[in-house]
Amino acid sequence: MPVIKYPRIRDPLFYEWDRKAQKCGLRHTIYAVNGDQYTGEWLDNLKHGKGTQIWKNTGAIYSGDWKFGKRDGYGSYSIPDPVTKEYKRVYTGWWENDRRGGRGALFYPNGECYEGEWSHGLRSGWGKMQYKDGSVYEGQWLLDQPHGQGVLRLPNGNRYEGGWKDGKKHGPGKYLYLDKGQKLEGIWVADIPKCGVLVDFGRDNAPAPPQYPLPEIELHDPAGVLAEARATFDDSHN
C-alpha cells in the first residue's frame, strides 16, 4: 500500500517575522518612528524592568523602572535647560502607572521644592513644601493642596499650627507672632480667624514687640470658651 506524504503545515511567514521582532530582555537602543529612543529591558514587546527613555521633542530623560510599558517603580525625570542645555532634575522618586505615586521629590522651575507623598500624580499624604519666598509648609496634603493638619513657617519666624482645608487655614489652630511676642489661638474659616484669644507670648524676647503689652481680659474660663467654639465648629462641619 503506497505511503502518502502530506506537506508539513507551516505558519505564515509574518508569524515568524513577528516572533523575531518581539523584544524581550535587555536590548540596545530602540528608536520609535517619532524619534524617541529607549535603552533597557523589555518583556513581550513592552518596556519592562530597568531602562532609559529620551523624548526627542522635549529632550526629557527618564531613567528607572518600567512595568508593561509604563513608568512604575523608582526613577528620575530630568529636562534640559533651554539656555545652558544642562539637564536639571524635575522629579526623583516613586512612580505608579506612569504618574508620580509614593514618596518623591519634585523640583519646580521657580526654585520651589516639594518632598513627600504622592497619589495619581498629585501631592497627597504627608509632605514638606519649600516656597520661593522662604516659607515652609509641612503637614498633610490632599489633591495637591494643604489639607488636614499642618504647620506653616514664614521667613520672619512666625508660624501657624492647626487645621487646613483646600489650601487655606481652616478649623482650630494657633498663630504665633514671634516677631511681636504674641499668640492667637482660635478658629479659622477659609484663611480668616473667626474667633479666638490673643495673648502676649514671649514678649520679652521678641525682636519687635508692640509698645504696650496686651491688656489682660478677665475670662472665667478662656479654655472653655475655645472648647465651646471648637465644638460649634465641629458640629457645623459634620
Side-chain angles (χ1 to χ4, degrees):
M1 186 175 180
V3 178
I4 301 176
K5 293 184 178 181
Y6 295 96
R8 187 173 61 180
I9 299 176
R10 291 187 176 182
D11 294 332
L13 285 177
F14 68 83
Y15 283 157
E16 183 178 354
W17 294 338
D18 186 59
R19 281 194 296 269
K20 289 182 178 179
Q22 287 288 319
K23 295 180 282 292
C24 287
L26 181 62
R27 296 290 295 269
H28 295 296
T29 302
I30 302 295
Y31 292 88
V33 176
N34 61 3
D36 296 347
Q37 60 186 74
Y38 172 81
T39 305
E41 298 177 303
W42 298 79
L43 178 65
D44 296 333
N45 222 29
L46 294 172
K47 306 179 188 81
H48 191 89
K50 301 287 186 182
T52 299
Q53 168 96 12
I54 302 177
W55 286 267
K56 181 180 180 181
N57 288 339
T58 62
I61 293 180
Y62 170 79
S63 183
D65 295 327
W66 297 79
K67 186 175 181 181
F68 301 120
K70 296 181 179 180
R71 292 168 291 186
D72 199 296
Y74 189 84
S76 180
Y77 179 79
S78 303
I79 60 173
D81 185 276
V83 178
T84 65
K85 305 302 179 183
E86 295 182 358
Y87 275 91
K88 300 171 62 176
R89 285 185 305 167
V90 175
Y91 177 77
T92 299
W94 293 91
W95 300 74
E96 293 178 356
N97 197 29
D98 220 30
R99 292 187 289 186
R100 293 184 289 270
R103 188 166 185 84
L106 179 67
F107 304 90
Y108 295 84
N110 62 359
E112 296 180 345
C113 174
Y114 171 82
E115 184 176 2
E117 296 175 312
W118 297 82
S119 179
H120 302 290
L122 301 175
R123 294 168 290 184
S124 292
W126 191 270
K128 180 179 180 180
M129 181 75 187
Q130 297 180 344
Y131 296 96
K132 186 177 181 180
D133 64 357
S135 302
V136 177
Y137 170 82
E138 186 170 5
Q140 294 175 303
W141 294 76
L142 181 65
L143 300 178
D144 235 24
Q145 296 285 352
H147 191 100
Q149 294 294 311
V151 178
L152 175 67
R153 297 180 176 86
L154 301 180
N156 62 1
N158 295 347
R159 69 178 185 267
Y160 168 81
E161 304 173 2
W164 295 79
K165 182 179 179 182
D166 299 330
K168 296 180 179 180
K169 306 176 192 68
H170 196 85
K174 57 183 178 181
Y175 202 112
L176 303 178
Y177 300 91
L178 299 183
D179 58 338
K180 298 179 181 179
Q182 296 176 339
K183 178 179 72 171
L184 173 62
E185 186 171 0
I187 305 295
W188 272 257
V189 176
D191 253 357
I192 300 174
K194 292 296 184 178
C195 67
V197 177
L198 181 65
V199 297
D200 285 328
F201 181 81
R203 174 184 171 83
D204 294 338
N205 298 321
Q211 184 177 0
Y212 302 104
L214 289 171
E216 295 184 3
I217 301 176
E218 293 186 2
L219 291 175
H220 297 293
D221 184 11
V225 172
L226 288 177
E228 183 178 352
R230 291 192 184 97
T232 303
F233 176 86
D234 294 338
D235 291 340
S236 63
H237 289 78
N238 287 334

